[in-house]
Structure formats: C-alpha cells, structure tokens
Amino acid sequence: MKNRSLLYIWAALVVIVLVSILSLNRQGFTMIGQSFSESEHVRWGMEEFYSKIGPAKLNPVNIEEAKKQITISDEEIEEHRTRYGSLSNQLEDIHGQYVDRIEEAKNEKNEIVRKALIEERDMKIEDIKMNFKDDAHIEAKIRQEKEQSLTQYLNEVKSSTHSLPIAYELINADTGELFSSGDVLVPSIYKKQFNSAKGYLKAHSLPGQNNDEWTTYYAYGNNAINEDNINAMANPVQSFEGTVIIPKTAVEKGGVLYPQYKDFNRGKYALYTFWLLSALALIVLFTVLKFRKEWVTGTDYDARYATLKIDIKVIGMLATALILFMYVDSASSSVVNLLQYPRLGRIGSSFIGFILFGVLPTALLAFQIVHATERWKKKEAIEADIKNSYAIQFLKALQTMFLRKSIGSQTFILLIGFFLAGVGFIGMFMDPMLFVIYCLCVLFFALPISFIFVRRAAYLNKIIIATEAMATGRLNEEIKIEGKSPLADHARNLNNLREGVRSSMSEQAKSERLKTELITNVSHDLRTPLTSIITYTDLLKDETITPEDRAKYVDILDKKSQRLKTLIEDLFEVSKMASGNLELHRQRVDLTQLLQQALAEHADDIDQSGLDFRTDIPEEMLTAYVDGQRWWRVLDNLIVNAIKYSLTGTRVYVTLRKTGDTAEFIVKNITKYELGENVDELFERFKRADTSRHTDGSGLGLAISQSIVDMHGGTMKIELDGDLFKVTVTVPVK
C-alpha cells in the first residue's frame, strides 16, 4: 500500500513537471520579462492598425480614378452572353416566365398589369437580343456592375477601423501633409516613432498589399475585380514619419484595455508561481522521491500482467503513452487560462482530469516500462512471448487464409467493413475520450473476434485445399487435427479416407505395371533391332564374303545398334519421369532462338523430306524459365514427328507466339497414316502413327514430350480433324 501511494505521488509530480516544461516552451517567450505592451493582444492590434491605416486614411485609393482601371476581357463578355444558354434557350425561358402571368392578368381583365408584363417581357427579350448582337452592350452592363462592386469594396476599406485606442501624428515625407488622431504627447504604454533614421511608416493603398497577400474581390453578379485591376488601381507606396502611441489611460482602471491588462498580469504571475513549484517538484524527483522499481515489481499486479500476451502489453503501453501525451499537450495549453480565470467548477474538473488522464496513466506507464525492461533481460522469455503472440499467430493464419482466394477475399472484405463501419473511427480524431473508447472497443472486442474468425477461416481453407489435393491424386500430406470443433472431426474423416484411397491407388499402380500391351510393345521394339544385329553378326562370321558386303553389314549393324541404344535410353528416361526422379535445371531461355536452332538442326532432313515448312516465329526474344536441354527435346521430338509422319508434298506449319502469360508452340501437318479418332492413345508409351512399326523411332516421343511439358507446368494438346494433325504446347513465360 505504501509503495502504491509513493508511485502515485511520484506520478503526480512527473505530470506537473511535464505540463510545466511544455507550457514554458509555449508561453515562456510571451510571458517571461514581457510587459502588456509586448503581449500578443497588443502586437496583433498594432499589426491590424498598420495594415488598415494606409488604405483608410493615409493613402486611400481614388474611387473615380480606380474605375478607369477596370478592364473587361472577351472571355467575360462571352460568359455573360451565354451564362443562361444560347439565344433560343434564353428567349424560350423568358417567354415561359411570362406566358402564364400574362394569361392570368388577361383572365382577370387587369389590362394595366397585362400591358406592364408584356412591356417587361419585351424589354428583357430585346436586351437578350442585343447581347448577341453587340459586344459593347454587354461591356457597358459588366462595367456598371464592376463599378458598383468596386465602389462598395473601396468604401468598406476606407471605413475599416482598428480595435486598439491608438493616437498618432504622421506627416507625409514627400508632401508634408499631416494626419493625426488624439494626443501623442500624453504618457503611453506603447510608443513607436518613424523617421529617416528609424525607418518610415510605409502606407499602402489596399489591405494585404504590404505582405503580398492579394485577395480577389468577388462582387455581385459574378463579376470579379481581378488581380490585374487591383495592381493597376493601387497608389504608389507613401512614406510617413511621426509618432504612434497607445495612451497609458487605456490600461488604467476604467480604461478600454484595463480588463486585458489585468488578465495578462494575473496570468503572468500565476505562471511564474506554477513554474517555480514545478522546479521544486523536479528537485524532489531527483532527491527525496527517486523512482524505485520495487514500487511496481513483486506485486500481484505484476504476476497477473506477466500472463498477458505481448501484443496486449505493447498496445496497452502505446495507448497509455498516447493518453498521457494528449493530456499533457492539452493541459499545457489551457493552464494559462485556468490560472487567469480560476473558477471552482473549472478547478474541480481540471483536478479530475489531472488524476484520470495524468496521474493514473503516468503510474501505469511506469509500471509497463519496468515490467518490459525486466522481461527484456530474460532472452528466452521474450522469445517465447513473441512466438506465442497474437500477431505471429494472426500472420500465420492470414497467410493460409488466402490459399483459397475466394474465401480469403470475402473474409478480408468483412474485416475491413468491421473495422471501418463504426462512427468511432471518425470520432476518435475529434475528441480524446472518443479515441480512448474506440481503442478499448478494438482491443477487447474487434481484435479477439477477428483473431478467432481468421483462424477458423484459415483452418477451413487448409481442409478444402487438402480435399482438392486428394481429388487430384496428391495424397502425401495428412491434415493436421486442431481442436475439437466440427472442422476437426471433418479433417479426421478425410484423413481416414485418404489412407483408403492411397491403398487403392497403390494396388492399381501395381496392376498397371503388368499390362500385357506394354510388355508386348517393348518386346517387339527391342527384338527387331536385336534380331538384325544377331543375323548380320552371323553373316560377318563367313570368311568368304567380299569386302563390299562386309562393309555393308557393318553399316547395318551400326544403325541397328544405335536404334537399340536410342530405344533403351528413351525407355530409361520415361522410367525416370514416371518415378519422379528426373530433376529440371531451369534457367532463362530464349524460346525463339531455341526453335530456330532446332529447325536449323533438321534443315537437311526437311529439304530431303519433300515437305514445305512454313514458320511463324517472333522477331523479338520470347523468354521462359525452363530446362533448356529438356525443352530442346520437346521441340526436337515434335519436328522429327512432323518430318516422319507428314504426307509428302504437303505443308507443315510451325508457330511460336506469346499468348497472355504463356508461350504457345504449334505444329500442324497432314498425316500420311490414318490415325483414327482416339488421339489420347498417341500419348501412350510405344504408340506410333505407323501401326505396322516399320518406321524408325521408339514410340516414346510424345510420351516423353508430354512428361517434360507437365514437369514445367505447361500443357500439351493434340487435335485431329480428318488427316489434319495439330499439336499445341504451352508453357508459362513468368
């Protein structure tokens, strides 16, 4: 209890010192050592006097001469002419204004009113017609309006007054003309002399001219006295010498300025007293009442506070500091008024504000800072606090919330609407109390609900994405069970279903590996070159064959062995792709250049094939992030297939282009073999367009290409229309 009392007393002294320092910074220059004649009230009043005395008395504008400076532009004439529309529109409008009134007067047999209305209507119609016929007619009307407005404006300037009781005696330095008001020889509280040594009083002819703050004067009838007119009508600046005073009688009892004089002195000496007491409070804070951390540590509050999340602690500390800052800022501005005009009610409300928004926040902020400092010294504890904070959990949940954009976007819109819907968001900038209420609502209501909502949405997204992965056959990851909600039960059921599907797919994979068709095709394609090798090897054993036949047999053996090697390598590559052991080495590759190189590589084969290759390749670079060697294999396979299986004498179209965010490679040709309707079979391993299997090739080209394209995240599509064969390959360019 004693420690708590000492903490509150310490906090009260700190608040007094803070308010004193800020008020000293704000009012010190205007109060310390200053007299009433140097106060802001007198200073502003004299600035007003010097600004108005020139235009009103010393150097006024001649109204008749000023009228001569008025100019009227062609734009003003045209604006006045068409202000209410075209000639036909204006005439129709005038006619509509009077037709009912004239008819009413006629029905009432009031001939005098009827004739007056007709005459008035005809005059307006004639005036409108003249507007569209003669510019001078419009110019005369505009000039009259501007002259009236200018006269009114200059008369207001000449009749303007100042707020202080000022006496002056001023002589025009050029003409010797004397201007005076009051007696400048009486005792004064303010006195300023103007002469050649101390500087002349510069009298301008228009307000604002002395500080270049020109204001365009808008007159009636939408006609303005613009800045050019003002510059033209302004008189040259006149120099005056003489004396300007505020008589001492103005601040004596009963004088005009006596209440302001009395308030100024009372406030000044009250502030002196307040600043002196604050200095004593500062001495006490550094001597008798030094802050001790024991005042806040080791208490029940400290133990309970330690269980809060670090987010709540940080927000609470910032909110406390903000409340204290706003109070000190407000109190430092209002303390002079409180001391100048002390009232029992104002003193009571100020004391309550001092306790609620000054002392308590200061004590709480000291407690929070000490707790944070002690916690910071424990490295493991602060790391655990950050790891378990709401912010980290919220960020993790927010990251997973957008894995499914539709739900994530809807949730985010709801959150935005929730936080911005309240009137408090606007009101908190208008009143400190509303800001405190809004912060409390966000802290204890909005943030917890948002946290729960985001976590639930994130968990739902995890379950949905895992379900989609299961539907596409990706069954590697198990859904984590979180809590005991219905979502957790659903996740548990999905995990059981996943295990069942995995078992079923494993059995199906074993069955696929034993397909008879695959074994038959592999056996046939491997046995054909192997049989040739055995046959020609036996022939080479005959010592009676001629050298020419021997060379011929060796050449056949070389071709068959190379074919066998190609078959085995393709089969090995397909096996690696099927097992997922093939790695891609991606890099930025120019697809345009790669295709040109592939076509150049087969230029001789194309010339000998009797085919007419038509290419449509972009001139600029078309780059994608691919494995260059593998992508070369795709292009090579498709070009070779076109050469092998296209009908002789036909055209082959090769196209490369960019479509959106993808690169699109297209090959179209007329096939020499009848392919049937099921083009999907061409992607199967060891399938050929040549069903007799007399052509070279492994039958793995399209299967290998399909696997490479899939590994790059692209697509490969075959279309067949009669004998027209079209294959389209796309790959992302980003």
Side-chain angles (χ1 to χ4, degrees):
M1 187 66 180
K2 180 181 178 181
N3 286 341
R4 191 183 306 172
S5 300
L6 292 174
L7 176 62
Y8 289 147
I9 295 172
W10 175 87
L13 295 178
V14 169
V15 174
I16 292 173
V17 170
L18 291 176
V19 173
S20 174
I21 292 173
L22 198 54
S23 66
L24 181 63
N25 179 64
R26 286 177 169 171
Q27 284 97 24
F29 295 105
T30 59
M31 288 292 185
I32 299 177
Q34 303 294 317
S35 64
F36 176 69
S37 62
E38 299 168 307
S39 67
E40 291 184 352
H41 181 80
V42 174
R43 179 167 55 83
W44 291 343
M46 293 310 301
E47 289 179 358
E48 179 188 34
F49 168 77
Y50 291 130
S51 174
K52 291 182 176 181
I53 189 65
K57 303 293 182 182
L58 304 181
N59 191 17
V61 172
N62 184 287
I63 295 178
E64 296 303 321
E65 291 297 325
K67 290 179 181 179
K68 298 177 183 179
Q69 306 300 327
I70 294 176
T71 60
I72 300 172
S73 65
D74 293 339
E75 290 78 8
E76 290 178 301
I77 293 174
E78 186 62 25
E79 190 278 333
H80 187 282
R81 172 181 290 138
T82 60
R83 184 178 299 165
Y84 301 107
S86 63
L87 174 61
S88 60
N89 290 337
Q90 293 186 42
L91 294 178
E92 183 179 355
D93 183 55
I94 293 296
H95 178 75
Q97 293 177 18
Y98 284 88
V99 63
D100 292 337
R101 296 168 61 189
I102 292 173
E103 185 65 25
E104 184 180 355
K106 180 180 179 181
N107 294 334
E108 293 177 355
K109 298 182 179 180
N110 192 337
E111 192 64 21
I112 297 176
V113 173
R114 189 182 72 83
K115 289 182 178 180
L117 290 172
I118 292 174
E119 183 178 357
E120 183 179 333
R121 179 199 64 187
D122 293 342
M123 288 178 60
K124 289 185 178 181
I125 290 175
E126 186 62 28
D127 182 65
I128 293 172
K129 290 180 179 180
M130 287 297 297
N131 286 343
F132 281 85
K133 288 180 180 180
D134 187 5
D135 289 351
H137 178 72
I138 300 178
E139 184 177 353
K141 291 195 296 182
I142 297 176
R143 182 174 297 279
Q144 183 180 4
E145 291 178 3
K146 286 194 172 186
E147 287 179 353
Q148 292 175 353
S149 301
L150 179 60
T151 302
Q152 179 182 348
Y153 170 60
L154 293 179
N155 285 332
E156 289 176 357
V157 170
K158 290 182 179 181
S159 62
S160 61
T161 59
H162 45 272
S163 58
L164 296 179
I166 299 173
Y168 61 86
E169 187 176 283
L170 298 169
I171 300 174
N172 191 309
D174 297 324
T175 64
E177 185 178 1
L178 174 65
F179 296 86
S180 63
S181 176
D183 188 359
V184 297
L185 300 179
V186 299
S188 61
I189 62 167
Y190 173 91
K191 184 175 184 179
K192 189 170 183 178
Q193 292 184 325
F194 299 92
N195 50 47
S196 58
K198 296 181 179 180
Y200 290 112
L201 172 63
K202 301 296 183 179
H204 297 267
S205 57
L206 290 172
Q209 189 181 1
N210 57 333
N211 54 11
D212 296 328
E213 293 180 359
W214 293 100
T215 302
T216 301
Y217 179 79
Y218 286 91
Y220 304 105
N222 294 324
N223 293 311
I225 307 301
N226 57 43
E227 186 173 327
D228 292 335
N229 294 154
I230 292 178
N231 283 325
M233 72 178 64
N235 297 332
V237 179
Q238 301 292 320
S239 299
F240 287 82
E241 59 183 0
T243 305
V244 176
I245 70 165
I246 298 177
K248 189 176 180 181
T249 54
V251 297
E252 293 176 351
K253 193 169 184 178
V256 176
L257 298 179
Y258 177 71
Q260 292 86 345
Y261 173 76
K262 184 178 179 182
D263 292 342
F264 175 81
N265 286 327
R266 181 170 59 243
K268 181 172 70 172
Y269 294 118
L271 276 177
Y272 285 171
T273 303
F274 176 67
W275 291 334
L276 179 61
L277 292 176
S278 301
L280 294 176
L282 185 62
I283 295 173
V284 171
L285 288 174
F286 280 98
T287 56
V288 180
L289 202 61
K290 289 183 178 180
F291 181 80
R292 298 176 185 177
K293 67 179 182 180
E294 291 79 10
W295 293 348
V296 296
T297 58
T299 63
D300 294 338
Y301 296 108
D302 186 51
R304 288 198 291 265
Y305 186 75
T307 61
L308 296 177
K309 296 282 188 181
I310 191 172
D311 318 71
I312 304 301
K313 296 177 184 177
V314 171
I315 294 173
M317 185 182 296
L318 293 175
T320 304
L322 183 60
I323 293 171
L324 179 60
F325 171 78
M326 294 175 65
Y327 171 76
V328 171
D329 180 70
S330 175
S332 63
S333 299
S334 60
V335 64
V336 63
N337 292 327
L338 179 65
L339 296 174
Q340 281 182 329
Y341 310 105
R343 299 288 187 274
L344 184 60
R346 294 184 64 190
I347 293 175
S349 61
S350 298
F351 179 76
I352 294 174
F354 173 74
I355 298 299
L356 294 179
F357 303 109
V359 176
L360 292 180
T362 302
L364 180 58
L365 186 61
F367 169 80
Q368 292 168 328
I369 292 174
V370 170
H371 179 86
T373 304
E374 294 299 314
R375 196 73 174 175
W376 185 263
K377 294 177 181 178
K378 302 174 183 179
K379 185 177 180 181
E380 295 181 356
I382 197 68
E383 290 178 353
D385 288 346
I386 295 174
K387 184 178 180 181
N388 296 325
S389 65
Y390 286 126
I392 298 299
Q393 296 180 36
F394 183 82
L395 290 176
K396 291 180 179 179
L398 190 63
Q399 183 179 6
T400 56
M401 185 181 75
F402 283 95
L403 293 177
R404 190 175 181 89
K405 292 184 179 179
S406 59
I407 294 180
S409 300
Q410 294 172 11
T411 304
F412 192 72
I413 291 172
L414 288 174
L415 290 175
I416 291 290
F418 176 77
F419 280 106
L420 300 182
V423 181
F425 183 78
I426 299 174
M428 70 178 183
F429 297 103
M430 301 178 180
D431 189 279
M433 284 303 300
L434 290 178
F435 176 78
V436 173
I437 294 172
Y438 180 79
C439 290
L440 293 175
C441 290
V442 171
L443 181 62
F444 295 106
F445 183 75
L447 289 181
I449 291 179
S450 299
F451 177 73
I452 296 172
F453 188 80
V454 169
R455 287 196 65 180
R456 290 289 177 87
Y459 191 42
L460 177 60
N461 269 325
K462 289 181 180 179
I463 296 175
I464 293 174
I465 291 170
T467 305
E468 292 176 348
M470 290 173 59
T472 57
R474 299 193 303 271
L475 307 171
N476 298 326
E477 294 185 5
E478 182 178 354
I479 305 174
K480 185 178 179 181
I481 308 300
E482 298 180 2
K484 299 181 180 180
S485 65
L487 291 177
D489 295 335
H490 183 61
R492 190 176 294 106
N493 295 333
L494 286 175
N495 284 334
N496 295 335
L497 179 60
R498 180 184 64 88
E499 288 299 324
V501 174
R502 286 185 64 182
S503 300
S504 176
M505 291 185 66
S506 177
E507 294 296 326
Q508 185 178 0
K510 292 179 182 179
S511 176
E512 289 291 333
R513 288 196 297 269
L514 300 177
K515 282 186 176 180
T516 305
E517 183 181 357
L518 179 59
I519 296 174
T520 303
N521 288 337
V522 171
S523 300
H524 179 275
D525 286 340
L526 292 177
R527 186 171 60 248
T528 300
L530 184 59
T531 301
S532 297
I533 291 173
I534 294 172
T535 301
Y536 284 99
T537 301
D538 290 338
L539 291 174
L540 284 173
K541 293 178 182 179
D542 185 359
E543 297 178 355
T544 62
I545 61 175
T546 64
E548 292 79 5
D549 290 338
R550 184 179 299 276
K552 180 180 177 182
Y553 297 160
V554 170
D555 182 61
I556 293 173
L557 283 173
D558 180 63
K559 291 181 179 179
K560 297 300 181 181
S561 61
Q562 289 297 327
R563 170 160 168 70
L564 186 60
K565 177 185 176 183
T566 300
L567 284 170
I568 294 173
E569 287 178 348
D570 287 351
L571 182 60
F572 181 66
E573 188 164 6
V574 169
S575 177
K576 286 198 298 181
M577 291 180 182
S579 62
N581 294 326
L582 186 66
E583 295 183 0
L584 295 179
H585 302 284
R586 293 175 182 263
Q587 58 185 347
R588 185 64 63 183
V589 175
D590 182 2
L591 300 182
T592 301
Q593 183 180 9
L594 194 66
L595 177 56
Q596 290 172 343
Q597 291 175 356
L599 291 170
E601 183 77 16
H602 295 285
D604 293 339
D605 295 335
I606 293 172
D607 292 339
Q608 296 173 8
S609 66
L611 299 172
D612 183 8
F613 266 70
R614 300 291 181 91
T615 60
D616 182 7
I617 304 175
E619 296 181 0
E620 67 277 3
M621 293 178 61
L622 178 54
T623 59
Y625 195 58
V626 298
D627 185 326
Q629 183 179 357
R630 302 294 177 190
W631 202 255
W632 167 274
R633 182 69 181 276
V634 174
L635 301 179
D636 185 72
N637 284 345
L638 295 178
I639 293 172
V640 169
N641 278 354
I643 295 172
K644 285 183 179 180
Y645 300 119
S646 294
L647 184 64
T648 304
T650 59
R651 298 185 184 92
V652 177
Y653 294 91
V654 179
T655 303
L656 177 65
R657 63 192 178 192
K658 183 179 180 182
T659 304
D661 292 335
T662 62
E664 192 173 69
F665 173 63
I666 304 172
V667 178
K668 293 189 291 185
N669 64 285
I670 303 297
T671 63
K672 68 170 64 174
Y673 301 103
E674 186 176 351
L675 296 179
E677 296 181 356
N678 190 5
V679 295
D680 293 336
E681 291 183 356
L682 295 175
F683 285 119
E684 296 183 9
R685 298 164 193 171
F686 297 97
K687 280 286 185 180
R688 298 191 204 169
D690 176 17
T691 55
S692 63
R693 311 185 75 85
H694 288 166
T695 57
D696 289 338
S698 63
L700 296 172
L702 289 180
I704 292 174
S705 299
Q706 175 73 67
S707 298
I708 294 173
V709 171
D710 289 343
M711 293 173 68
H712 282 84
T715 61
M716 183 172 178
K717 181 175 68 172
I718 292 178
E719 298 175 76
L720 190 62
D721 185 3
D723 292 334
L724 176 62
F725 180 82
K726 177 182 177 182
V727 57
T728 304
V729 177
T730 63
V731 64
V733 295
K734 291 186 178 181

